């Protein structure tokens, strides 16, 4: 469970994981544009978010219990994180 890849460095934090659906993400600094994608384990895209000029955000994930993959991209940085919904 957790981070598969991360070029943001140690400043990226995501909690709680496992979650009931509410996810807090701190990117470590403010980015002009962030793209987030949530997929299921088969790779099917479920949600997409674009976030502008923020250092942190809160996502509400309304999907059934299971494992998901959250991809985060900003400029040259990217991360892939396994999320467990309880």
């Amino acid at each position: 469970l957790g981070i598969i890849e991360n070029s943001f460095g140690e400043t990226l934090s995501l909690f709680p994981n496992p979650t009931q659906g509410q996810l807090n993400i701190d990117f470590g600094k403010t980015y002009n544009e962030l793209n987030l994608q949530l997929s299921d384990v088969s790779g099917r895209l479920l949600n997409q978010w674009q976030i502008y000029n923020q250092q942190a955000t809160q996502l509400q994930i309304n999907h059934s219990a299971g494992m998901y993959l959250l991809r985060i991209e900003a400029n040259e940085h990217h991360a892939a994180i396994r999320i467990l919904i309880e």
Side-chain angles (χ1 to χ4, degrees), residues 28-61:
K29 73 173 200 174
T30 301
Y31 288 92
N32 291 336
E33 181 178 352
L34 290 138
N35 294 301
L36 288 73
Q37 297 181 332
L38 183 72
S39 322
D40 62 16
V41 290
S42 67
R44 184 174 49 123
L45 181 63
L46 302 172
N47 292 96
Q48 265 185 280
W49 299 271
Q50 286 188 309
I51 299 165
Y52 299 96
N53 300 313
Q54 292 189 32
Q55 176 177 331
T57 193
Q58 192 174 70
L59 300 179
Q60 183 63 43
I61 301 172

Side-chain angles (χ1 to χ4, degrees), residues 8-34:
F8 284 89
E10 293 182 16
T11 58
L12 177 67
S13 68
L14 183 141
F15 60 93
N17 190 15
T19 180
Q20 297 290 322
Q22 184 170 321
L23 199 57
N24 300 293
I25 307 170
D26 187 332
F27 306 106
K29 73 173 200 174
T30 301
Y31 288 92
N32 291 336
E33 181 178 352
L34 290 138

